[in-house]
Amino acid sequence: MKHKTNKQVFNKAIKELNDIDLAILRERILTVCEFTIQNKETVTKQMEGGFISPELIIGACERIFEKFNFKD
């Protein structure tokens, strides 16, 4: 069984979810990213020694937040 890529999963969701579902998904993504960005020190401490570096997660959240924000 071939696993779908993250891009394939997101594209399928965009095509199949209704506008309310997508608005909720967007809001949840923004909330998690904003929390991570605003709490960099806490997130870094919690993730110390983990498999994924805190800097990678924080950087990803900053980029994701920029693309998903409601300002543009």
Side-chain angles (χ1 to χ4, degrees):
M1 178 176 155
K2 185 178 175 186
H3 294 281
K4 293 181 180 181
T5 66
N6 290 326
K7 198 173 271 195
Q8 289 171 321
V9 171
F10 268 88
N11 286 333
K12 185 174 190 282
I14 289 167
K15 290 177 186 174
E16 295 179 6
L17 292 172
N18 65 45
D19 287 344
I20 298 296
D21 295 340
L22 290 172
I24 292 169
L25 175 61
R26 183 178 182 190
E27 185 276 330
R28 294 285 77 213
I29 289 170
L30 284 170
T31 298
V32 170
C33 288
E34 186 174 34
F35 176 85
T36 301
I37 294 164
Q38 290 178 351
N39 295 283
K40 291 178 185 179
E41 288 182 27
T42 302
V43 170
T44 299
K45 287 179 185 176
Q46 289 175 340
M47 296 185 72
E48 281 179 356
F51 180 71
I52 300 174
S53 77
E55 293 82 13
L56 180 65
I57 296 290
I58 292 166
C61 284
E62 289 171 338
R63 291 185 299 278
I64 293 165
F65 189 84
E66 180 182 316
K67 297 297 181 188
F68 274 78
N69 74 49
F70 288 98
K71 293 179 184 176
D72 295 331

Coordinates of all heavy atoms in Angstrom, one line a residue:
M1 N 0.8 -1.2 0.0 CA 0.0 0.0 0.0 C 0.9 1.2 0.0 O 1.7 1.4 0.8 CB -0.9 0.0 1.2 CG -1.8 1.2 1.3 SD -2.9 1.0 2.8 CE -3.2 2.7 3.1
K2 N 0.7 2.1 -1.0 CA 1.4 3.4 -1.1 C 0.8 4.4 -0.2 O -0.4 4.7 -0.2 CB 1.5 3.8 -2.5 CG 2.3 5.0 -2.8 CD 2.4 5.4 -4.2 CE 3.2 6.7 -4.4 NZ 3.1 7.2 -5.7
H3 N 1.6 5.1 0.6 CA 1.2 6.2 1.5 C 1.1 7.5 0.7 O 1.9 7.8 -0.2 CB 2.1 6.3 2.7 CG 2.1 5.2 3.6 ND1 1.1 5.0 4.5 CD2 2.9 4.1 3.7 CE1 1.3 3.9 5.2 NE2 2.5 3.3 4.7
K4 N 0.1 8.3 1.0 CA -0.1 9.6 0.3 C 0.9 10.6 1.0 O 1.1 10.5 2.1 CB -1.5 10.1 0.5 CG -2.5 9.2 -0.3 CD -3.9 9.8 -0.1 CE -4.9 8.9 -0.9 NZ -6.3 9.5 -0.8
T5 N 1.3 11.5 0.2 CA 2.1 12.6 0.7 C 1.2 13.6 1.4 O 0.0 13.6 1.3 CB 2.9 13.3 -0.4 OG1 1.9 14.0 -1.2 CG2 3.7 12.4 -1.3
N6 N 1.9 14.4 2.2 CA 1.1 15.4 3.0 C 0.4 16.4 2.0 O -0.7 16.8 2.2 CB 2.0 16.3 3.9 CG 2.5 15.4 5.0 OD1 1.8 14.6 5.6 ND2 3.7 15.7 5.5
K7 N 1.1 16.7 0.9 CA 0.5 17.6 -0.1 C -0.8 16.9 -0.7 O -1.8 17.6 -1.0 CB 1.5 17.9 -1.2 CG 1.1 19.1 -2.1 CD 2.3 19.4 -3.0 CE 3.2 20.4 -2.3 NZ 4.1 21.1 -3.2
Q8 N -0.7 15.6 -1.0 CA -1.9 14.9 -1.6 C -3.0 14.9 -0.6 O -4.2 15.1 -1.0 CB -1.5 13.5 -1.9 CG -0.6 13.3 -3.1 CD 0.0 11.9 -3.3 OE1 0.3 11.2 -2.3 NE2 0.1 11.5 -4.6
V9 N -2.7 14.7 0.7 CA -3.8 14.7 1.7 C -4.5 16.1 1.8 O -5.7 16.2 1.9 CB -3.2 14.2 3.1 CG1 -4.2 14.4 4.2 CG2 -2.7 12.8 3.0
F10 N -3.6 17.1 1.9 CA -4.2 18.5 1.9 C -5.0 18.8 0.7 O -6.1 19.4 0.8 CB -3.1 19.5 2.2 CG -2.8 19.8 3.6 CD1 -1.9 19.0 4.3 CD2 -3.5 20.8 4.3 CE1 -1.7 19.3 5.7 CE2 -3.3 21.1 5.6 CZ -2.4 20.3 6.3
N11 N -4.5 18.5 -0.5 CA -5.2 18.8 -1.7 C -6.6 18.1 -1.7 O -7.6 18.6 -2.2 CB -4.4 18.4 -2.9 CG -3.3 19.4 -3.2 OD1 -3.4 20.6 -2.8 ND2 -2.2 19.0 -3.8
K12 N -6.6 16.8 -1.3 CA -7.8 16.1 -1.3 C -8.8 16.7 -0.3 O -10.0 16.9 -0.6 CB -7.6 14.6 -0.8 CG -8.8 13.7 -0.9 CD -8.4 12.3 -0.6 CE -9.5 11.3 -0.9 NZ -10.5 11.2 0.1
A13 N -8.3 17.1 0.9 CA -9.2 17.8 1.9 C -9.8 19.1 1.3 O -11.0 19.4 1.5 CB -8.4 18.0 3.2
I14 N -9.0 19.8 0.6 CA -9.4 21.1 0.1 C -10.5 20.9 -0.9 O -11.5 21.6 -1.0 CB -8.2 21.9 -0.6 CG1 -7.3 22.4 0.5 CG2 -8.7 23.0 -1.5 CD1 -6.0 22.9 0.0
K15 N -10.4 19.8 -1.7 CA -11.4 19.5 -2.7 C -12.7 19.0 -2.1 O -13.8 19.2 -2.6 CB -10.9 18.5 -3.7 CG -9.8 19.0 -4.6 CD -9.3 17.9 -5.5 CE -8.1 18.4 -6.3 NZ -7.5 17.4 -7.1
E16 N -12.6 18.2 -1.0 CA -13.7 17.5 -0.5 C -14.4 18.1 0.8 O -15.6 17.9 1.0 CB -13.3 16.1 -0.1 CG -12.9 15.3 -1.4 CD -12.5 13.9 -1.1 OE1 -12.6 13.4 0.1 OE2 -12.0 13.2 -2.0
L17 N -13.7 19.0 1.5 CA -14.3 19.6 2.7 C -15.2 20.8 2.3 O -14.8 21.5 1.3 CB -13.3 20.0 3.7 CG -12.5 18.9 4.4 CD1 -11.4 19.5 5.2 CD2 -13.4 18.0 5.3
N18 N -16.2 21.1 3.1 CA -17.0 22.3 2.7 C -16.3 23.5 3.3 O -15.3 23.4 4.0 CB -18.4 22.1 3.2 CG -18.5 22.1 4.8 OD1 -17.9 22.8 5.5 ND2 -19.3 21.1 5.2
D19 N -16.8 24.7 3.0 CA -16.2 26.0 3.4 C -16.1 26.1 4.9 O -15.2 26.7 5.4 CB -16.9 27.1 2.8 CG -16.6 27.3 1.3 OD1 -15.7 26.7 0.8 OD2 -17.4 28.0 0.6
I20 N -17.1 25.7 5.6 CA -17.1 25.8 7.1 C -16.0 24.9 7.7 O -15.2 25.3 8.5 CB -18.5 25.3 7.7 CG1 -19.6 26.3 7.2 CG2 -18.4 25.3 9.2 CD1 -19.4 27.7 7.7
D21 N -15.9 23.6 7.2 CA -14.8 22.7 7.6 C -13.4 23.4 7.3 O -12.5 23.3 8.2 CB -14.9 21.4 6.9 CG -16.1 20.6 7.2 OD1 -16.8 20.9 8.3 OD2 -16.5 19.7 6.4
L22 N -13.3 24.0 6.2 CA -12.0 24.6 5.8 C -11.7 25.8 6.7 O -10.5 26.0 7.1 CB -11.9 24.9 4.3 CG -11.9 23.7 3.4 CD1 -12.1 24.2 2.0 CD2 -10.6 22.9 3.6
A23 N -12.7 26.6 7.0 CA -12.5 27.7 7.9 C -12.1 27.3 9.3 O -11.2 27.9 9.9 CB -13.8 28.5 8.0
I24 N -12.7 26.2 9.8 CA -12.3 25.7 11.1 C -10.9 25.1 11.1 O -10.1 25.3 12.0 CB -13.3 24.6 11.6 CG1 -14.7 25.3 11.9 CG2 -12.8 23.8 12.8 CD1 -15.8 24.3 12.1
L25 N -10.5 24.4 10.0 CA -9.2 23.9 9.8 C -8.2 25.0 9.8 O -7.2 25.0 10.5 CB -9.1 23.0 8.6 CG -7.7 22.5 8.2 CD1 -7.1 21.6 9.3 CD2 -7.7 21.8 6.9
R26 N -8.4 26.0 9.1 CA -7.6 27.2 9.0 C -7.4 27.9 10.3 O -6.3 28.2 10.8 CB -8.1 28.2 8.0 CG -7.2 29.4 7.7 CD -7.8 30.3 6.7 NE -7.0 31.4 6.4 CZ -7.4 32.4 5.7 NH1 -8.6 32.4 5.1 NH2 -6.6 33.5 5.4
E27 N -8.5 28.1 11.1 CA -8.4 28.7 12.4 C -7.6 27.9 13.3 O -6.8 28.4 14.1 CB -9.9 28.9 12.9 CG -9.9 29.7 14.2 CD -9.7 28.8 15.4 OE1 -10.1 27.6 15.4 OE2 -9.2 29.3 16.4
R28 N -7.8 26.5 13.3 CA -7.0 25.7 14.2 C -5.6 25.7 13.9 O -4.7 25.7 14.8 CB -7.6 24.2 14.1 CG -9.0 24.0 14.6 CD -9.1 24.0 16.2 NE -9.1 25.4 16.7 CZ -8.6 25.7 17.8 NH1 -8.1 24.9 18.7 NH2 -8.6 27.0 18.2
I29 N -5.2 25.7 12.6 CA -3.8 25.7 12.2 C -3.2 27.0 12.7 O -2.1 27.1 13.3 CB -3.7 25.6 10.7 CG1 -4.0 24.2 10.3 CG2 -2.3 26.0 10.2 CD1 -4.1 24.0 8.8
L30 N -3.9 28.1 12.5 CA -3.4 29.5 12.9 C -3.3 29.5 14.5 O -2.3 30.1 15.0 CB -4.3 30.6 12.4 CG -4.2 30.9 11.0 CD1 -5.3 31.8 10.5 CD2 -2.8 31.5 10.7
T31 N -4.2 29.0 15.2 CA -4.1 29.0 16.6 C -2.9 28.3 17.2 O -2.2 28.8 18.0 CB -5.4 28.4 17.2 OG1 -6.5 29.2 16.8 CG2 -5.4 28.4 18.8
V32 N -2.7 27.1 16.7 CA -1.5 26.3 17.1 C -0.2 27.0 16.7 O 0.7 27.1 17.5 CB -1.6 24.9 16.5 CG1 -0.3 24.1 16.8 CG2 -2.8 24.1 17.1
C33 N -0.1 27.5 15.5 CA 1.1 28.2 15.1 C 1.3 29.4 15.9 O 2.4 29.7 16.3 CB 1.0 28.5 13.6 SG 1.2 27.0 12.5
E34 N 0.3 30.2 16.1 CA 0.4 31.4 16.9 C 0.9 31.1 18.3 O 1.7 31.8 18.8 CB -0.9 32.2 16.9 CG -0.8 33.6 17.6 CD -2.0 34.4 17.4 OE1 -3.2 33.8 17.5 OE2 -1.9 35.6 17.3
F35 N 0.3 30.1 18.9 CA 0.7 29.7 20.3 C 2.2 29.4 20.3 O 2.9 29.8 21.2 CB -0.1 28.5 20.8 CG 0.3 28.0 22.1 CD1 -0.1 28.6 23.3 CD2 1.2 27.0 22.2 CE1 0.3 28.2 24.5 CE2 1.7 26.6 23.5 CZ 1.2 27.2 24.6
T36 N 2.6 28.6 19.3 CA 4.0 28.1 19.2 C 4.9 29.3 19.1 O 6.0 29.4 19.7 CB 4.2 27.2 18.1 OG1 3.3 26.0 18.3 CG2 5.6 26.7 18.0
I37 N 4.6 30.3 18.2 CA 5.4 31.5 17.9 C 5.5 32.3 19.2 O 6.5 32.8 19.5 CB 4.8 32.3 16.8 CG1 5.0 31.4 15.5 CG2 5.5 33.6 16.6 CD1 4.1 31.9 14.3
Q38 N 4.4 32.5 19.9 CA 4.3 33.4 21.1 C 5.0 32.7 22.3 O 5.3 33.4 23.3 CB 2.9 33.8 21.4 CG 2.3 34.7 20.4 CD 0.8 35.0 20.7 OE1 0.2 34.4 21.6 NE2 0.3 36.0 20.0
N39 N 5.2 31.4 22.2 CA 5.8 30.7 23.4 C 7.0 30.0 23.0 O 7.2 28.8 23.4 CB 4.7 29.8 24.0 CG 3.5 30.5 24.5 OD1 3.6 31.1 25.6 ND2 2.5 30.6 23.8
K40 N 7.9 30.6 22.3 CA 9.1 30.0 21.7 C 10.0 29.4 22.9 O 10.5 28.2 22.7 CB 9.9 31.0 20.9 CG 9.3 31.4 19.6 CD 10.2 32.4 18.9 CE 9.5 32.9 17.7 NZ 10.3 33.9 17.0
E41 N 10.1 30.1 23.9 CA 11.0 29.6 25.0 C 10.4 28.3 25.7 O 11.1 27.3 25.9 CB 11.2 30.7 26.1 CG 12.1 31.8 25.6 CD 12.3 32.8 26.7 OE1 12.2 32.5 27.9 OE2 12.6 34.0 26.4
T42 N 9.1 28.4 25.9 CA 8.4 27.2 26.5 C 8.5 26.0 25.6 O 8.8 24.9 26.0 CB 7.0 27.5 26.9 OG1 7.0 28.7 27.8 CG2 6.3 26.4 27.5
V43 N 8.2 26.2 24.3 CA 8.2 25.2 23.3 C 9.6 24.6 23.2 O 9.8 23.4 23.2 CB 7.7 25.7 22.0 CG1 7.9 24.7 20.9 CG2 6.2 26.0 22.0
T44 N 10.6 25.4 23.2 CA 12.0 25.0 23.1 C 12.3 24.1 24.3 O 12.9 23.0 24.1 CB 13.0 26.2 23.0 OG1 12.6 26.9 21.8 CG2 14.4 25.7 22.9
K45 N 12.0 24.5 25.5 CA 12.3 23.7 26.7 C 11.5 22.4 26.7 O 12.1 21.4 27.0 CB 11.9 24.5 28.0 CG 12.8 25.6 28.3 CD 12.4 26.4 29.5 CE 13.3 27.6 29.7 NZ 12.8 28.4 30.9
Q46 N 10.3 22.4 26.2 CA 9.5 21.2 26.2 C 10.0 20.2 25.2 O 9.9 19.0 25.4 CB 8.0 21.5 25.9 CG 7.3 22.2 27.0 CD 5.9 22.6 26.6 OE1 5.5 22.7 25.5 NE2 5.0 22.8 27.6
M47 N 10.6 20.7 24.1 CA 11.0 19.8 23.0 C 12.5 19.4 23.1 O 13.0 18.7 22.3 CB 10.7 20.5 21.7 CG 9.3 20.7 21.4 SD 9.0 21.3 19.8 CE 9.3 19.9 18.8
E48 N 13.2 19.9 24.1 CA 14.7 19.6 24.2 C 14.9 18.1 24.2 O 14.2 17.4 24.9 CB 15.2 20.2 25.5 CG 15.5 21.7 25.4 CD 16.1 22.3 26.7 OE1 16.2 21.5 27.7 OE2 16.4 23.4 26.8
G49 N 15.8 17.7 23.4 CA 16.2 16.3 23.4 C 15.2 15.4 22.6 O 15.3 14.2 22.5
G50 N 14.3 16.1 21.9 CA 13.3 15.4 21.1 C 13.8 15.0 19.7 O 14.9 15.4 19.4
F51 N 13.1 14.3 19.0 CA 13.5 13.8 17.7 C 13.5 15.0 16.7 O 14.4 15.1 15.9 CB 12.5 12.8 17.2 CG 12.7 12.2 15.8 CD1 13.8 11.4 15.6 CD2 11.9 12.6 14.7 CE1 14.1 10.9 14.4 CE2 12.2 12.1 13.5 CZ 13.3 11.3 13.3
I52 N 12.6 15.9 16.8 CA 12.5 17.1 15.9 C 13.0 18.3 16.7 O 12.5 18.5 17.8 CB 11.1 17.3 15.3 CG1 10.6 16.1 14.5 CG2 11.1 18.6 14.5 CD1 9.2 16.2 14.1
S53 N 13.9 19.1 16.1 CA 14.4 20.2 16.8 C 13.3 21.3 17.0 O 12.5 21.5 16.1 CB 15.6 20.8 16.1 OG 15.2 21.6 15.0
P54 N 13.4 22.0 18.1 CA 12.4 23.1 18.4 C 12.5 24.2 17.3 O 11.5 24.7 16.9 CB 12.8 23.6 19.7 CG 13.6 22.5 20.4 CD 14.2 21.8 19.3
E55 N 13.7 24.5 16.9 CA 13.9 25.5 15.9 C 13.2 25.2 14.6 O 12.6 26.0 13.9 CB 15.4 25.8 15.6 CG 16.1 26.4 16.8 CD 16.6 25.3 17.8 OE1 16.5 24.1 17.5 OE2 16.9 25.7 18.9
L56 N 13.2 23.9 14.2 CA 12.5 23.5 13.0 C 11.0 23.7 13.1 O 10.3 24.2 12.2 CB 12.8 22.0 12.7 CG 12.2 21.4 11.5 CD1 12.7 22.0 10.2 CD2 12.4 19.9 11.4
I57 N 10.4 23.3 14.3 CA 9.0 23.4 14.5 C 8.6 24.9 14.5 O 7.6 25.3 13.9 CB 8.6 22.8 15.9 CG1 8.8 21.3 15.8 CG2 7.1 23.1 16.2 CD1 7.8 20.5 14.9
I58 N 9.4 25.7 15.3 CA 9.1 27.1 15.4 C 9.2 27.8 14.0 O 8.3 28.6 13.6 CB 10.0 27.8 16.4 CG1 9.6 27.3 17.8 CG2 9.9 29.3 16.4 CD1 10.7 27.6 18.9
G59 N 10.2 27.5 13.3 CA 10.4 28.1 11.9 C 9.2 27.7 11.0 O 8.7 28.5 10.3
A60 N 8.8 26.4 11.1 CA 7.7 26.0 10.3 C 6.4 26.7 10.6 O 5.6 27.1 9.8 CB 7.5 24.5 10.4
C61 N 6.2 26.9 11.9 CA 5.0 27.6 12.4 C 5.0 29.0 11.9 O 3.9 29.5 11.6 CB 4.9 27.5 13.9 SG 4.3 25.9 14.5
E62 N 6.1 29.7 11.9 CA 6.2 31.0 11.4 C 5.8 31.1 9.9 O 5.1 32.0 9.5 CB 7.6 31.6 11.7 CG 7.9 31.9 13.2 CD 9.3 32.2 13.5 OE1 10.2 31.9 12.7 OE2 9.5 32.8 14.6
R63 N 6.4 30.2 9.2 CA 6.1 30.2 7.7 C 4.6 29.8 7.5 O 4.0 30.5 6.6 CB 7.0 29.2 7.0 CG 8.5 29.6 7.0 CD 9.3 28.7 6.1 NE 9.4 27.4 6.6 CZ 10.2 26.9 7.6 NH1 11.0 27.8 8.2 NH2 10.2 25.7 7.9
I64 N 4.1 28.8 8.2 CA 2.7 28.4 8.0 C 1.8 29.6 8.4 O 0.8 29.9 7.7 CB 2.4 27.2 8.8 CG1 3.2 26.0 8.2 CG2 0.9 26.9 8.9 CD1 3.2 24.8 9.2
F65 N 2.1 30.2 9.5 CA 1.2 31.3 10.0 C 1.2 32.4 9.0 O 0.1 33.0 8.7 CB 1.8 31.9 11.3 CG 0.8 32.9 12.0 CD1 -0.3 32.4 12.8 CD2 1.0 34.2 11.8 CE1 -1.1 33.3 13.4 CE2 0.2 35.1 12.4 CZ -0.9 34.7 13.2
E66 N 2.3 32.7 8.4 CA 2.4 33.8 7.3 C 1.5 33.4 6.1 O 0.8 34.3 5.6 CB 3.8 33.9 6.9 CG 4.0 35.0 5.8 CD 5.5 35.1 5.3 OE1 6.4 35.0 6.2 OE2 5.7 35.1 4.1
K67 N 1.5 32.2 5.7 CA 0.7 31.8 4.6 C -0.8 31.6 4.8 O -1.6 31.8 4.0 CB 1.2 30.4 4.0 CG 2.6 30.5 3.5 CD 2.8 31.5 2.4 CE 4.2 31.5 1.9 NZ 4.4 32.6 0.9
F68 N -1.2 31.3 6.1 CA -2.6 31.0 6.4 C -3.3 32.2 7.1 O -4.5 32.1 7.3 CB -2.7 29.8 7.4 CG -2.7 28.5 6.7 CD1 -1.5 27.9 6.2 CD2 -3.9 27.8 6.5 CE1 -1.5 26.7 5.6 CE2 -3.9 26.5 5.9 CZ -2.7 26.0 5.4
N69 N -2.6 33.3 7.4 CA -3.2 34.4 8.1 C -4.3 35.0 7.4 O -4.5 34.8 6.2 CB -2.1 35.4 8.5 CG -1.7 36.3 7.4 OD1 -2.5 36.8 6.6 ND2 -0.4 36.4 7.2
F70 N -5.2 35.7 8.1 CA -6.4 36.3 7.6 C -6.1 37.7 7.0 O -7.1 38.4 6.6 CB -7.5 36.3 8.6 CG -8.0 35.0 8.9 CD1 -7.6 34.2 10.0 CD2 -9.0 34.5 8.1 CE1 -8.1 33.0 10.3 CE2 -9.6 33.2 8.3 CZ -9.1 32.5 9.4
K71 N -4.9 38.2 7.1 CA -4.6 39.6 6.7 C -4.6 39.8 5.2 O -4.9 40.9 4.7 CB -3.3 40.0 7.3 CG -3.3 40.1 8.8 CD -1.9 40.5 9.3 CE -2.0 40.5 10.9 NZ -0.7 40.8 11.5
D72 N -4.2 38.9 4.4 CA -4.2 39.0 3.0 C -5.4 38.4 2.3 O -6.0 37.5 2.6 CB -2.9 38.3 2.4 CG -1.7 39.0 2.9 OD1 -1.7 40.2 3.2 OD2 -0.6 38.3 3.0

